[in-house]
Amino acid sequence: MNRAELRFTLRLIPFLDSVESVEDGLVKLRDRRWLVWHPDVMAALFRNDRALRHPPSRTLSPLLGNRSVLWLDGAEHTAYRRTLAPMLRGARYQALIEEMTDRSIAELPSGPTSVSAWTRKLTLRIIGRVLFGVDDDELLTAFTRWLDRRLGSRARTLAHRYLTPGTTRFDPRLDAMLLHRVQSAEPPALAAFLPRRDLRDQVVSLLFAGHETTASATAWTLYWISRTPGLDDSRLDATIRESLRLSPPAALAGNRMSDEGMVITPSIYLAHRRAATYENPHVFDPARTPPPPGAYFPFGGGVRHCPGKDLALLEIRLIVRALLAHRHVRLSSPTSTPQLRGAAMAPPPDLAMVATCRR
């Protein structure tokens, strides 16, 4: 592993910041591996995505499984997406999201609480209900503990990735709980429609991908609202779009591999901060004009764009709107140094929220 790839692996965000000014929008990490973010390259890459392979993540595949839909290819991937896409349309879950959001707001403590921890618990409850059709806080608490032991800090993630390479990080007890809940699921719960093959990998992937990035995006939106006086509810959609640009819920958009073995890693973080694309790219500005193709892809792109994008955007909108309608929100420790949780880019855990009742 050369110096560039070592920095990319160990200190991802500082490394991305250090190459942000590279005008070509691509950096060689090692022989036959490139980090890319130029919009023309990204647009071409996503147009030709079906012709590429999508190798498993060395960090997440031991957790989610090698048969996760996140890295299936070809007909298998297409079949899973055809099952998932209609089941993840946001409008069908609006009442559910509103109900669970109201409950979580009512449970907020009077003192400071971690913004990212609160949004993570809420979005996990929502995807748990979508997936299983029932509330099961015992199961979701066990899932959270399992995930935090492996992704709760960058040090833990790297330790699991490099100190025990080639091994899985499954928890047999948790897997048994998940499969029991899936087997009892009935329509319209999403789990009832999943193919029985590789069930464990698909359920864990949906729980992880269905809450982690949405939670981060919601917390970042609250952060930017707190930092930007004068924003009101009429500009919420533009505020969310700009938050997703400047603080995308993931720094990278997965790997692509050509038949010749060339690996290409798109960077959402760098594409969204490219000075040649965005004027004053580090300034939060909801009034920005739409960017060109390949310059904005907070939910990934090509055949790997997130099938839950519509659901995630609805969750962010409804959670933020309800919270601000029912609580005066003040953020303490207003830092913006992100915490990496696998590929997800969450606000730091010490970013605390004090939410007091409106009178």
Side-chain angles (χ1 to χ4, degrees):
M1 187 179 291
N2 63 32
R3 185 170 180 267
E5 191 173 22
L6 186 65
R7 291 175 61 211
F8 174 81
T9 300
L10 297 181
R11 291 177 54 79
L12 177 61
I13 300 302
F15 174 78
L16 296 180
D17 289 338
S18 75
V19 301
E20 182 181 301
S21 61
V22 176
E23 293 185 4
D24 290 343
L26 71 163
V27 167
K28 187 175 183 178
L29 295 175
R30 59 171 162 79
D31 187 39
R32 304 175 71 78
R33 185 180 183 188
W34 292 83
L35 178 72
V36 300
W37 66 95
H38 192 285
D40 294 344
V41 176
M42 299 313 311
L45 184 72
F46 292 149
R47 282 197 305 270
N48 296 281
D49 211 5
R50 292 188 186 279
L52 301 170
R53 287 179 287 158
H54 303 81
S57 160
R58 291 176 61 186
T59 297
L60 292 180
S61 60
L63 300 176
L64 309 184
N66 287 327
R67 295 289 301 169
S68 166
V69 67
L70 298 179
W71 24 84
L72 290 179
D73 273 316
E76 284 186 304
H77 177 255
T78 301
Y80 268 112
R81 286 188 67 96
R82 284 177 178 166
T83 298
L84 294 176
M87 298 299 299
L88 292 175
R89 293 192 182 117
R92 67 188 297 163
Y93 300 112
Q94 179 163 340
L96 166 63
I97 297 168
E98 291 173 339
E99 171 204 333
M100 305 200 82
T101 299
D102 288 346
R103 187 196 310 172
S104 290
I105 291 173
E107 294 172 353
L108 276 169
S110 57
T113 185
S114 167
V115 180
S116 53
W118 181 74
T119 59
R120 202 174 292 129
K121 182 176 181 179
L122 172 54
T123 55
L124 182 58
R125 279 177 166 179
I126 292 169
I127 192 60
R129 178 80 78 82
V130 169
L131 191 56
F132 304 126
V134 296
D135 294 328
D136 191 333
D137 282 346
E138 180 184 2
L139 171 61
L140 298 182
T141 297
F143 180 83
T144 296
R145 288 173 179 164
W146 170 77
L147 201 60
D148 283 348
R149 285 197 300 270
R150 290 148 179 85
L151 300 180
S153 70
R154 191 63 175 164
R156 291 182 191 178
T157 300
L158 292 172
H160 279 285
R161 177 170 173 172
Y162 290 106
L163 297 184
T164 53
T167 63
T168 66
R169 317 287 193 271
F170 296 0
D171 181 324
R173 178 178 174 274
L174 174 61
D175 287 354
M177 294 172 67
L178 288 168
L179 291 176
H180 171 75
R181 178 55 66 201
V182 170
Q183 288 158 3
S184 63
E186 298 180 357
L190 175 55
F193 298 92
L194 292 175
R196 299 297 96 177
R197 183 183 179 189
D198 309 315
L199 194 55
R200 181 266 172 206
D201 289 4
Q202 308 315 334
V203 170
V204 174
S205 297
L206 284 167
L207 279 178
F208 172 75
H211 93 282
E212 189 78 35
T213 54
T214 305
S216 295
T218 305
W220 281 121
T221 301
L222 291 168
Y223 167 80
W224 286 111
I225 288 173
S226 75
R227 295 265 310 230
T228 313
L231 291 178
D232 56 39
D233 194 63
S234 67
R235 303 178 67 190
L236 182 55
D237 286 348
T239 298
I240 292 169
R241 283 195 300 271
E242 179 68 351
S243 177
L244 288 168
R245 181 193 69 82
L246 200 51
S247 303
L252 308 172
N255 296 320
R256 271 73 174 171
M257 180 184 288
S258 69
D259 289 340
E260 295 75 28
M262 182 71 71
V263 177
I264 301 171
T265 302
S267 174
I268 304 170
Y269 182 92
L270 288 172
H272 289 189
R273 292 166 177 248
R274 185 171 180 265
T277 304
Y278 297 98
E279 185 178 358
N280 299 319
H282 295 275
V283 174
F284 184 82
D285 180 10
R288 290 183 186 276
T289 57
Y296 181 81
F297 47 101
F299 295 96
V303 297
R304 280 316 200 265
H305 74 275
C306 176
K309 171 185 174 181
D310 183 52
L311 176 60
L313 287 172
L314 181 64
E315 285 185 59
I316 299 166
R317 187 182 307 115
L318 293 178
I319 293 169
V320 171
R321 181 172 290 153
L323 180 62
L324 298 182
H326 292 92
R327 295 287 190 273
H328 288 289
V329 175
R330 178 174 57 85
L331 298 189
S332 59
S333 305
T335 62
S336 60
T337 305
Q339 177 200 26
L340 289 178
R341 292 172 57 86
M345 198 175 78
D350 63 350
L351 180 62
M353 171 176 68
V354 177
T356 56
C357 291
R358 289 187 179 273
R359 298 297 182 186

